[in-house]
Amino acid sequence: MSHLPSDLSIPAAQSRSMIAFLAVSCGLIVANIYYSQPLVGLIGSTLRMQADTESLIVSLTQLGYAAGLIFLVPLGDLVENRRLVVMTVAAAVMPLLLGGLAWSGPAMMAASVLIGLTSVAVQMLIPLAAHLTQEARRGRVVGLITSGLLFGILLSRPIASSIAAFGSWRAVFFGSAGLMAGLALLLSRMLPYRKPEANQHYFALLASLFSLPARFPVLRQRAAYQAAAFAGFSLFWTGVPLFLMHNFGFSQRGVALFALAGAAGAFSAPVAGHLADRGHTAAGTLLSLVGVIGAFGVAAVGAMLKSVLVLIVAAILLDASVQTCLVFGQRSIYILAAELRSRMNGIFMAMFFLGGALGSAVTGLLLAHGGWEALCVAGMLPPVLALIYFLATSFR
């Protein structure tokens, strides 16, 4: 293992093999947050949970993730990065096993919080890659690694549905526990050593975290855009498996195929990174927010026409738009202050996932009391507000 000073660009971090390894690692880790999304109906029926509380499994996972972003990710500016990543990935094994063994709704909810908390290792890896990449290529590299993360998000749903269709939803969590144990070992061998040059203690680090949105308008704006986009994303992907099963008679295999088709949107991330490096962030942000709004319009039309194909188009448009917005956002905040990069990423992603937790929390209520049409209207509202905010700040 090489021992390198902080913030040093190294060829390994820019090589295709290292980028591919980081992308795959991010995908495997972040998938833990989303395995439960298409399985909430199965988990809820097994554990005898009420229909309007099943979606809380997804929300609590995202809230746990948000807590990890605030309390764990900033440690990347304080402690040696490789050790931090490896310990966090290894810590995910136990809550995943608890999820597989869950005997009641409260036990599953507790496991969900801890799964989210320990999945933040992915947001330690992306800033590390940014530290080790030259600024001229940073957007492209972040885009490539983010595409791995996004493939993990999008493929987690069809993988979880397929495993549940052929076996049990519990096998999803047991399998991921084994993957995390193996990945922790690989990361300990392959990641470079990076010790940040920090002179603060942990509580001072946390105190500084909450001042960052006030100090950096770009951070505040990008977090607002992404929280709005991800609220819609969570609404759609928490609600659409239930909608397809209840209204189209889909099985878990059908839901898996639908989610797999939607994963095509992940190919937009590298393109977005390239455009960000070329200075097209404003135009890309505008198009991505409009794309999220338009996706829910297409989804509403798909329900009216009873067309699965139109719903697939909506899913691809939504995924591509949310991912594009994310890449532009991360590229924008990573150029602000290198010594604050982990804290910047932590608060950015925490606000991002709080938006997602809110979206998934209200999904059950919207479907129960207003149906798919109410969900589509609710999904449009946050990105519409974000678009107004974007236009107001751009003109100012």
Side-chain angles (χ1 to χ4, degrees):
M1 300 177 200
S2 56
H3 292 257
L4 302 167
S6 65
D7 303 325
L8 179 67
S9 294
I10 58 173
Q14 298 180 41
S15 71
R16 291 183 178 181
S17 59
M18 178 58 79
I19 292 170
F21 173 66
L22 292 175
V24 171
S25 298
C26 286
L28 291 173
I29 296 166
V30 80
N32 292 331
I33 311 171
Y34 295 95
Y35 286 135
S36 61
Q37 211 166 47
L39 304 178
V40 288
L42 286 176
I43 296 171
S45 62
T46 302
L47 302 181
R48 298 181 181 179
M49 299 175 67
Q50 294 183 354
D52 58 354
T53 61
E54 291 171 349
S55 63
L56 289 177
I57 294 171
V58 179
S59 296
L60 288 170
T61 306
Q62 292 172 336
L63 288 173
Y65 192 77
L69 290 165
I70 293 172
F71 295 106
L72 298 181
V73 170
L75 287 170
D77 290 334
L78 187 64
V79 302
E80 198 278 306
N81 287 184
R82 181 179 60 208
R83 183 187 307 168
L84 178 64
V85 170
V86 171
M87 290 179 65
T88 307
V89 173
V93 174
M94 290 307 296
L96 286 165
L97 291 175
L98 177 60
L101 294 169
W103 57 92
S104 67
M108 189 67 206
M109 290 182 179
S112 298
V113 173
L114 295 173
I115 289 169
L117 184 72
T118 53
S119 296
V120 295
V122 69
Q123 297 304 333
M124 301 169 182
L125 283 172
I126 295 176
L128 176 59
H131 275 294
L132 302 173
T133 305
Q134 295 172 349
E135 184 172 339
R137 299 183 69 244
R138 190 167 292 148
R140 194 174 311 169
V141 170
V142 168
L144 288 167
I145 295 172
T146 300
S147 68
L149 178 150
L150 296 168
F151 270 114
I153 293 173
L154 298 173
L155 294 177
S156 62
R157 291 186 288 264
I159 289 170
S161 294
S162 298
I163 293 173
F166 288 102
S168 167
W169 61 264
R170 297 182 185 275
V172 176
F173 295 94
F174 292 140
S176 187
L179 281 174
M180 291 304 102
L183 183 60
L185 181 61
L186 276 175
L187 288 166
S188 69
R189 294 178 177 274
M190 295 189 67
L191 285 182
Y193 176 96
R194 179 184 176 269
K195 182 72 171 75
E197 298 171 359
N199 54 9
Q200 290 179 295
H201 58 74
Y202 177 66
F203 293 105
L205 199 74
L206 286 184
S208 69
L209 182 73
F210 296 102
S211 68
L212 295 178
R215 289 174 56 193
F216 297 97
V218 171
L219 173 62
R220 184 170 64 247
Q221 292 157 12
R222 299 307 317 191
Y225 307 152
Q226 199 62 40
F230 199 60
F233 181 92
S234 292
L235 263 174
F236 182 89
W237 282 109
T238 305
V240 78
L242 300 172
F243 179 68
L244 292 172
M245 293 171 76
H246 294 159
N247 294 78
F248 289 82
F250 271 40
S251 64
Q252 282 296 324
R253 295 181 191 179
V255 171
L257 290 172
F258 181 91
L260 186 61
F267 289 105
S268 66
V271 177
H274 179 69
L275 292 173
D277 284 338
R278 294 175 66 87
H280 299 300
T281 296
T285 301
L286 175 64
L287 288 175
S288 62
L289 291 174
V290 171
V292 176
I293 298 166
F296 280 100
V298 175
V301 171
M304 286 190 291
L305 298 177
K306 297 186 178 180
S307 170
V308 174
L309 180 60
V310 175
L311 289 171
I312 289 173
V313 172
I316 293 172
L317 177 59
L318 177 66
D319 290 350
S321 300
V322 173
Q323 293 162 30
T324 299
C325 191
L326 175 60
V327 173
F328 283 122
Q330 288 185 306
R331 175 68 170 82
S332 298
I333 65 171
Y334 286 166
I335 63 175
L336 295 177
E339 73 279 4
L340 302 173
R341 194 165 284 147
S342 290
R343 277 168 282 178
M344 290 267 197
N345 195 55
I347 196 69
F348 170 73
M349 297 302 295
M351 294 172 72
F352 167 10
F353 270 85
L354 286 173
L358 177 61
S360 56
V362 300
T363 301
L365 291 173
L366 287 169
L367 288 176
H369 300 288
W372 185 253
E373 294 78 8
L375 185 144
C376 289
V377 171
M380 285 183 180
L381 183 59
V384 165
L385 294 174
L387 180 60
I388 293 170
Y389 180 38
F390 169 77
L391 294 173
T393 53
S394 296
F395 282 122
R396 185 169 67 233

